[in-house]
Amino acid sequence: LENRSRAPHSHPNRVSEEVLTKLLAVRTKHPRWGPKKLVAVVARENPRLILPVASTVGDILRKRGLVKRRRRRIASVPYGERLTEYGGPNDLWCADFKGHFQAGNERCHPLTITDGYSRYLLTCHAQRRSYYNQTRATFERAFREYGLPLTIRTDNGAPFASLAPGGLSVMFIWWIRLGIRPERIMPGRPDQNGQHERMHSTLKDETVKPPRASLSAQQRAFDRFRREYNEERPHESLNQQVPASLYKKSPRCYPKKIPDPIYPSHFRLERAYPNGVISFNSTQWFISGCLRGEVVGLEEVSDDRWKVYFGPIALGILDLRSAKKRGWRQFGSLVRSDGEQPHQTRKYKRRKSNARPN
């Protein structure tokens, strides 16, 4: 004489078998996609179906053992200042090297480039090294295919940045001459390039666990992921749209001849010697070794103080008064604008020979 359950035998809001089958089919094809993406894909392919909300789909996946609870991490306080704003495609590109790993007998250094506005994955190239020449070749192919962006955001590692004044590097010099503004995140703050790092996490799960047997096989895996990421995978930040629906190529084409940077009319222009030195006011000033043969701009900020620029990047200040006080008649040193600390100091003293006379 036990009491029977009062639960109804049927429920009008119960998920139908047809919807359940379609959701599980998409989940089987893409085992790392979450409930929101599953609902978006099924709704796109079957607009007449009545679909459950994402939380209900999450409960269905959890009951079938298709998801695992993740350990909750304590988030840090968000960074208050904002970087470059972007309102359309090609306003900002994000670039970085995903951590290197072993693919067969070769070392793989994946270079990835995304469009900040549309999340479109422009390039995912498996390089053998992260050197300048290979990285420039990858960027040049992207520029020729998609055009030139306004800004490129990177971290502070090689070959993007260096210890030269303003973090200037040979890569940045090339971008500035193309009319691209290089932008760096703060050291130890990958969250400032968070959307790109989030893409790296998905890339790692889909293509590197486990790594492929060779570099060519790894590149084919990257190409398949890139096609799926751009054309099939909906993004929550894009209102569950795919990146390919929002991205358009840049109208700025890659030039045949790379021009020098353009400066305001009140700037004084000087071309650096092959050793990175400029001649100004009867004094040789060392700027940076990577600026060999490049044109720099000088802006007078006060009496006998000139601010040095390469394109939009401020490199430091030439302090003529300080050079006179120290007796620098022939050679001077570029100093930083914040704190007046020398970036690089070159000693031009005559060395005494320790050799004994014959």
Side-chain angles (χ1 to χ4, degrees):
L1 299 177
E2 294 179 357
N3 293 330
R4 294 181 180 181
S5 173
R6 297 189 179 186
H9 295 287
S10 62
H11 197 284
N13 295 331
R14 185 178 181 180
V15 180
S16 64
E17 290 296 329
E18 181 185 3
V19 173
L20 189 62
T21 303
K22 292 183 181 299
L23 289 170
L24 295 178
V26 178
R27 173 68 181 191
T28 304
K29 185 179 179 181
H30 305 284
R32 299 187 184 277
W33 285 14
K36 294 182 180 179
K37 289 180 174 52
L38 298 180
V39 173
V41 171
V42 174
R44 185 175 61 198
E45 297 176 352
N46 306 272
R48 295 185 178 181
L49 281 181
I50 300 177
L51 299 176
V53 296
S55 59
T56 302
V57 179
D59 294 337
I60 293 173
L61 298 178
R62 195 174 300 110
K63 288 179 181 179
R64 283 165 173 75
L66 298 178
V67 294
K68 295 181 180 179
R69 289 187 177 273
R70 295 184 179 180
R71 185 178 180 182
R72 191 173 181 179
R73 298 182 179 180
I74 301 176
S76 59
V77 179
Y79 182 58
E81 299 181 10
R82 293 185 178 181
L83 299 173
T84 300
E85 297 288 343
Y86 46 89
N90 305 300
D91 285 354
L92 172 70
W93 284 9
C94 304
D96 195 8
F97 279 97
K98 194 232 164 287
H100 61 81
F101 58 91
Q102 196 74 18
N105 297 326
E106 297 178 285
R107 179 73 69 175
C108 180
H109 296 258
L111 174 62
T112 57
I113 309 172
T114 58
D115 177 62
Y117 174 77
S118 64
R119 311 301 197 265
Y120 191 86
L121 182 55
L122 302 164
T123 297
C124 183
H125 183 60
Q127 297 185 181
R128 289 180 171 85
R129 296 288 186 273
S130 59
Y131 296 157
Y132 166 74
N133 291 334
Q134 297 182 22
T135 305
R136 171 165 175 163
T138 303
F139 271 99
E140 190 168 349
R141 286 193 296 269
F143 291 157
R144 293 185 185 279
E145 183 176 358
Y146 300 105
L148 301 178
L150 297 179
T151 307
I152 297 181
R153 182 182 297 173
T154 65
D155 59 9
N156 298 273
F160 303 121
S162 70
L163 298 178
L168 204 62
S169 65
V170 180
M171 183 71 71
F172 281 2
I173 291 174
W174 178 48
W175 290 350
I176 291 172
R177 292 185 62 180
L178 289 172
I180 302 171
R181 182 181 180 273
E183 182 179 83
R184 294 179 295 139
I185 62 176
M186 293 180 63
R189 294 299 304 271
D191 56 297
Q192 294 181 354
N193 205 6
Q195 62 185 29
H196 197 78
E197 298 293 342
R198 179 63 184 85
M199 183 274 300
H200 275 181
S201 177
T202 307
L203 175 69
K204 181 179 179 180
D205 291 338
E206 297 284 350
T207 62
V208 187
K209 293 183 177 180
R212 302 307 187 262
S214 65
L215 203 63
S216 57
Q218 189 67 54
Q219 183 61 58
R220 288 193 295 270
F222 287 157
D223 293 340
R224 287 193 297 269
F225 170 79
R226 179 170 167 267
R227 198 158 41 247
E228 177 186 300
Y229 189 85
N230 291 334
E231 301 174 6
E232 298 181 21
R233 187 178 189 271
H235 288 247
E236 185 177 352
S237 59
L238 303 178
N239 255 349
Q240 300 300 347
Q241 300 182 67
V242 295
S245 63
L246 298 178
Y247 181 73
K248 295 180 180 179
K249 294 184 179 180
S250 173
R252 302 173 59 208
C253 299
Y254 186 76
K256 295 182 179 179
K257 184 179 180 181
I258 302 178
D260 290 326
I262 300 177
Y263 297 96
S265 57
H266 66 280
F267 275 40
R268 178 170 172 177
L269 306 185
E270 297 288 344
R271 187 176 293 274
Y273 297 138
N275 57 354
V277 172
I278 64 171
S279 179
F280 181 69
N281 196 27
S282 302
T283 304
Q284 304 291 318
W285 302 84
F286 177 73
I287 307 299
S288 174
C290 58
L291 282 173
R292 55 181 73 92
E294 302 292 342
V295 177
V296 299
L298 287 84
E299 180 186 23
E300 189 173 11
V301 293
S302 61
D303 292 341
D304 292 333
R305 287 168 59 86
W306 295 73
K307 202 168 187 176
V308 185
Y309 289 85
F310 182 75
I313 297 182
L315 305 179
I317 290 179
L318 302 184
D319 194 341
L320 305 184
R321 290 184 177 180
S322 176
K324 292 177 182 178
K325 290 180 180 179
R326 299 184 183 184
W328 293 354
R329 299 179 180 179
Q330 221 172 2
F331 299 101
S333 178
L334 182 71
V335 296
R336 291 172 50 177
S337 55
D338 52 342
E340 307 300 328
Q341 298 297 325
H343 264 299
Q344 298 184 25
T345 305
R346 298 184 65 174
K347 297 180 180 180
Y348 295 94
K349 296 181 180 180
R350 189 174 181 180
R351 296 182 179 179
K352 297 181 179 181
S353 175
N354 295 326
R356 297 180 180 179
N358 294 331

